[in-house]
């Protein structure tokens, strides 16, 4: 597996790729959810490139950034074992020669749901994804449905700016107890980890939105929002310091597991 740390090396690698290129952008701390994106990329493409970059501009709280898990050696091993061709490991100076003077901002959906609770978060996400999509110029790029609002905003950006990479959505991967896989799960205490699957269980229960909200609060979650977007019920709720998000298919008859 080739490790790429400069733009010139990325461009050289890109020129050697014959056929389609699948791109999986990540912030590291890889789990089965990321590996499912890699698998989808491998199925659809001749080459697969993964990026690992903990993007500081999308963290609205410095403490959240400081505590973000760093498991680089393990991540590289997993990607190598999965048969990934190349991994792009940029640093801040490489991706932000403008020091974040230029930003991509979406003005409607990005202010709702997670955006309402994490000011600037989606500006950081969209800006870094735009940079990565421009640099990699992949045939397909893979994103998890777990970050459903992010996925919607990235699709919108790609349409708005005529980016030719096709965005592919991949289903949420869950632990056996239903908890959606997330790098943040590593930071849950043992007690919080036991409670965390109740977020999913409550979303799919045959109850009203207000009953779900009450139920989550009673269990100990601090609920940021429960909201319907498209045909999905989205939720964000914290256990202690750890903010979890999840979403499930939803229609006027309620949620489905
Ligand atoms: O979903 C993520 O891990 C990040 O938001 C992304 C898309 C890699 C951008 O930093």
């Amino acid at each position: 597996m080739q490790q790429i740390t400069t733009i010139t090396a990325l461009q050289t690698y890109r020129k050697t790729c014959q056929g389609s290129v699948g791109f999986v952008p990540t912030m590291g701390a890889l789990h089965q959810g990321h590996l499912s994106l890699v698998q989808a990329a491998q199925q659809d493409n001749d080459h697969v490139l993964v990026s690992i970059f903990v993007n500081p501009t999308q963290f609205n709280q410095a403490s959240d950034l400081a505590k973000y898990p760093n498991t680089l050696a393990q991540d590289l091993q997993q990607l190598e074992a999965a048969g990934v061709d190349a991994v792009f490991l940029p640093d801040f100076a490489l991706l932000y020669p403008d020091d974040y003077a230029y930003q991509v901002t979406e003005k409607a959906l990005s202010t709702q749901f997670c955006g309402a609770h994490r000011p600037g978060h989606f500006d950081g996400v969209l800006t870094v994804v735009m940079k990565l999509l421009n640099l990699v110029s992949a045939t397909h790029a893979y994103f998890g449905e777990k970050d459903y609002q992010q996925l919607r905003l990235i699709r919108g950006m790609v349409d708005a700016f005529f980016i030719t990479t096709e965005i592919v959505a991949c289903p949420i991967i869950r632990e056996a107890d239903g908890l959606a896989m997330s790098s943040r799960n590593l930071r849950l205490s043992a007690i919080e980890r036991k409670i965390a699957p109740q977020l999913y269980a409550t979303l799919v229960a045959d109850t009203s939105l207000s009953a779900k909200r009450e139920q989550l609060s009673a269990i100990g979650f601090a609920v940021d929002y429960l909201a319907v977007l498209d045909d999905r019920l989205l939720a964000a709720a914290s256990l202690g310091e750890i903010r979890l998000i999840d979403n499930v298919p939803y229609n006027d008859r309620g949620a489905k597991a």
Side-chain angles (χ1 to χ4, degrees):
M1 183 174 71
Q2 202 172 320
Q3 290 187 29
I4 299 171
T5 53
T6 66
I7 290 175
T8 319
L10 180 62
Q11 286 164 342
T12 307
Y13 166 78
R14 201 52 196 81
K15 280 191 199 130
T16 66
C17 293
Q18 305 249 335
S20 57
V21 174
F23 174 45
V24 182
T26 80
M27 299 207 298
L30 302 182
H31 50 67
Q32 284 305 318
H34 296 109
L35 295 178
S36 76
L37 303 181
V38 167
Q39 273 166 15
Q42 286 171 323
Q43 270 162 25
D44 298 347
N45 300 278
D46 300 303
H47 306 271
V48 172
L49 182 139
V50 175
S51 65
I52 300 180
F53 175 64
V54 182
N55 175 36
T57 65
Q58 71 187 74
F59 286 83
N60 53 308
Q61 279 180 351
S63 61
D64 195 24
L65 172 61
K67 288 181 189 157
Y68 199 81
N70 179 337
T71 56
L72 184 61
Q74 227 174 296
D75 293 346
L76 293 174
Q77 268 173 16
Q78 291 194 75
L79 294 177
E80 177 110 56
V84 165
D85 304 294
V87 58
F88 181 40
L89 301 165
D91 63 13
F92 184 81
L94 190 96
L95 281 188
Y96 290 92
D98 59 330
D99 204 19
Y100 200 38
Y102 288 83
Q103 304 179 6
V104 180
T105 299
E106 190 274 354
K107 295 203 290 188
L109 175 59
S110 78
T111 63
Q112 298 175 46
F113 315 134
C114 281
H117 294 269
R118 304 185 66 191
H121 168 66
F122 286 119
D123 297 344
V125 170
L126 292 178
T127 304
V128 81
V129 171
M130 169 81 104
K131 286 168 186 272
L132 290 167
L133 290 178
N134 283 339
L135 283 172
V136 176
S137 70
T139 321
H140 303 104
Y142 295 79
F143 295 87
E145 283 183 339
K146 171 161 168 291
D147 298 296
Y148 189 78
Q149 190 179 2
Q150 165 176 290
L151 172 69
R152 272 283 311 266
L153 286 164
I154 290 169
R155 280 196 191 288
M157 176 181 77
V158 161
D159 290 347
F161 291 98
F162 309 106
I163 296 171
T164 55
T165 302
E166 188 185 322
I167 303 303
V168 183
C170 297
I172 299 176
I173 305 294
R174 299 184 180 279
E175 304 285 357
D177 59 14
L179 177 64
M181 289 200 187
S182 163
S183 307
R184 285 203 166 78
N185 295 350
L186 292 173
R187 290 175 49 205
L188 293 166
S189 70
I191 295 170
E192 288 164 353
R193 177 64 190 79
K194 282 214 175 100
I195 302 171
Q198 292 302 318
L199 177 57
Y200 174 63
T202 307
L203 289 184
V204 295
D206 189 12
T207 49
S208 66
L209 291 191
S210 58
K212 290 180 199 301
R213 180 179 278 276
E214 273 170 33
Q215 170 83 24
L216 287 169
S217 305
I219 304 168
F221 283 94
V223 180
D224 272 359
Y225 66 84
L226 274 175
V228 177
L229 174 62
D230 307 331
D231 54 355
R232 310 208 53 109
L233 173 61
L234 275 50
S238 300
L239 279 176
E241 274 187 12
I242 313 304
R243 187 172 183 276
L244 301 173
I245 61 171
D246 203 343
N247 65 84
V248 297
Y250 190 82
N251 62 25
D252 46 12
R253 276 170 301 146
K256 281 184 284 171

